[in-house]
Amino acid sequence: MFDQEKKIGYMITKTALKIKAGLNQLLKAGGIDITADQFELLMILREKEGLSQTEMAMLTSKDKTNITRILDILEKKQLIERRKNDYDRRTYNIFLTKKGKQHRSSLQQVLQRGNQRLAEGLTNEDINEFTRIIKIINKNLGMDITNDNFSQIKKE
């Protein structure tokens, strides 16, 4: 019988699920009516508006169906809007609405609180070592994690 607690993939998966649950708790406690998945897309749009759904799927490693579902919910909440792409009628670009932009500071506060909670008891050296290891694991999986996630997006 193998010891699941010592398997890297298992530990990462369990940690990711706990982080997501913790983020959902922080959002709820902050009176913000969105989920962790919705939060992720809003944070991406905060950095770069006008991305296509395909680009958002690539940045989040989510499939296009899930991205569409999450964007549908955000659109119903009037936090985002889809605009037809001027160059490709099949493509929509995603933008924050005025209401979505008003949430920027509260979302940033949730992000800071979440990161502070994750880093409790860790030194800068611990965080640097963790980052180094995660980059190696992602490289092993064929993924390039950099500080600039948007470098993956082609320039138009």
Side-chain angles (χ1 to χ4, degrees):
M1 185 170 189
F2 72 97
D3 185 0
Q4 266 193 320
E5 292 298 323
K6 293 184 180 171
K7 300 297 179 189
I8 294 171
Y10 176 80
M11 290 188 301
I12 290 173
T13 300
K14 291 294 279 185
T15 302
L17 290 171
K18 287 181 181 183
I19 290 170
K20 190 174 184 177
L23 179 55
N24 280 325
Q25 288 174 346
L26 286 172
L27 290 163
K28 187 175 181 180
I32 302 170
D33 183 30
I34 62 170
T35 65
D37 288 329
Q38 295 164 19
F39 174 86
E40 181 180 16
L41 296 189
L42 290 174
M43 293 304 287
I44 288 170
L45 290 171
R46 183 187 73 137
E47 293 295 320
K48 183 170 177 137
E49 290 191 79
L51 295 171
S52 70
Q53 292 179 205
T54 301
E55 291 168 330
M56 294 189 83
M58 186 172 62
L59 285 170
T60 60
S61 300
K62 292 182 184 346
D63 63 52
K64 292 177 188 176
T65 304
N66 276 329
I67 292 295
T68 300
R69 179 184 55 77
I70 296 165
L71 290 173
D72 286 346
I73 294 167
L74 290 172
E75 194 169 38
K76 284 178 187 165
K77 293 180 179 187
Q78 300 177 336
L79 297 173
I80 61 111
E81 64 180 341
R82 293 176 168 108
R83 297 182 198 158
K84 284 194 178 197
N85 183 295
D86 293 337
Y87 304 103
D88 183 352
R89 294 182 310 164
R90 299 168 298 168
T91 302
Y92 287 88
N93 298 99
I94 314 303
F95 294 86
L96 292 172
T97 61
K98 184 177 181 179
K99 183 177 176 182
K101 289 177 182 177
Q102 290 171 345
H103 282 291
R104 282 180 171 166
S105 66
S106 58
L107 294 176
Q108 183 62 36
Q109 289 172 3
V110 167
L111 181 62
Q112 288 173 342
R113 280 195 302 266
N115 282 328
Q116 286 170 350
R117 185 174 175 191
L118 290 173
E120 277 182 29
L122 298 176
T123 65
N124 284 338
E125 187 177 293
D126 293 335
I127 293 168
N128 290 336
E129 181 67 4
F130 174 77
T131 302
R132 185 187 72 75
I133 292 168
I134 287 294
K135 284 181 178 181
I136 292 169
I137 291 169
N138 278 279
K139 184 178 177 189
N140 292 344
L141 296 172
M143 299 170 63
D144 180 27
I145 294 204
T146 64
N147 290 333
D148 177 12
N149 291 332
F150 300 107
S151 64
Q152 302 172 52
I153 304 298
K154 66 180 185 285
K155 305 290 184 227
E156 295 193 33

